[in-house]
Amino acid sequence: MALILLMGVIVGLVVGGFFIAGLLGTGSSTQDSPGLDSGTANPKSAPKPGTPPSAVCDEAGIKVTAAVDKPAYGPEETPILTLQVTNSGKTSCDINVGTSQMEYQITSGDDIIFNSRNCQLDPSDLVKNLKPGASESANFVWKVNRNAPECAEVQSKPGRGGATYMFVATLGKWSSEKVTFTLQ
């Protein structure tokens, strides 16, 4: 029995790693493989240390917003969480939009219910050049589960029946405002 449980945990970690790595697909996104939706940005490889930026980036113009696909979810529905980064500045900016910079956090009051970094495997970097007015977004399907730092086992599940939760999206040093949603 313990061997079966151990094998299940290993398979879960591998599948979870592929799921998180799939956060940055190209073009379309589905509920099971969230992706990065490209606007007018061009992908670039990560710059070498000490390389001067191609243009002076107005970091004050970088904005991260969070969104959910609807304000309330039925008993069998799972929320789709969206992280969007927009360059509202006047110059292009090279921004790391990789999974190493993304964080999807769900709270209820002071209780941290879920954090996408807790069980993340093999985070990666992806530098994109965001032109003025350009946006990038990535979706994450929350399976209405709890998790803990270092992927420690958690027995309890998030409540439903009208429970209210807050979602905050973070990309590097930029965080969104809280977005509220309800689970029925």
Side-chain angles (χ1 to χ4, degrees):
M1 182 66 175
L3 181 60
I4 293 172
L5 181 60
L6 179 62
M7 290 301 294
V9 169
I10 291 170
V11 169
L13 289 172
V14 170
V15 170
F18 285 119
F19 178 75
I20 294 295
L23 280 174
L24 292 174
T26 56
S28 65
S29 61
T30 65
Q31 287 189 2
D32 289 325
S33 74
L36 187 74
D37 298 325
S38 296
T40 57
N42 300 315
K44 288 188 163 192
S45 60
K48 294 178 184 172
T51 303
S54 56
V56 177
C57 173
D58 176 14
E59 290 188 354
I62 303 301
K63 305 292 181 209
V64 170
T65 55
V68 291
D69 58 319
K70 54 190 192 173
Y73 298 88
E76 301 300 319
E77 295 179 305
T78 54
I80 299 174
L81 312 173
T82 301
L83 176 157
Q84 182 173 13
V85 58
T86 302
N87 181 358
S88 61
K90 295 182 180 182
T91 59
S92 293
C93 289
D94 288 342
I95 303 293
N96 186 347
V97 295
T99 56
S100 66
Q101 302 301 304
M102 291 182 183
E103 180 178 34
Y104 296 78
Q105 183 168 283
I106 298 171
T107 57
S108 177
D110 291 334
D111 187 11
I112 298 173
I113 303 295
F114 179 87
N115 186 307
S116 62
R117 290 192 178 182
N118 286 341
C119 297
Q120 185 178 35
L121 297 175
D122 299 323
S124 62
D125 292 325
L126 177 63
V127 176
K128 291 211 171 191
N129 184 267
L130 287 180
K131 296 187 184 321
S135 294
E136 293 286 334
S137 62
N139 294 328
F140 182 85
V141 178
W142 181 43
K143 303 291 185 185
V144 189
N145 61 317
R146 276 187 176 264
N147 70 11
E150 298 181 19
C151 216
E153 186 176 342
V154 179
Q155 295 296 323
S156 64
K157 293 190 175 211
R160 287 199 179 250
T164 300
Y165 296 92
M166 271 66 70
F167 163 48
V168 173
T170 300
L171 183 69
K173 57 185 166 186
W174 300 281
S175 293
S176 70
E177 297 290 325
K178 291 180 181 178
V179 173
T180 303
F181 63 94
T182 305
L183 295 178
Q184 299 299 328

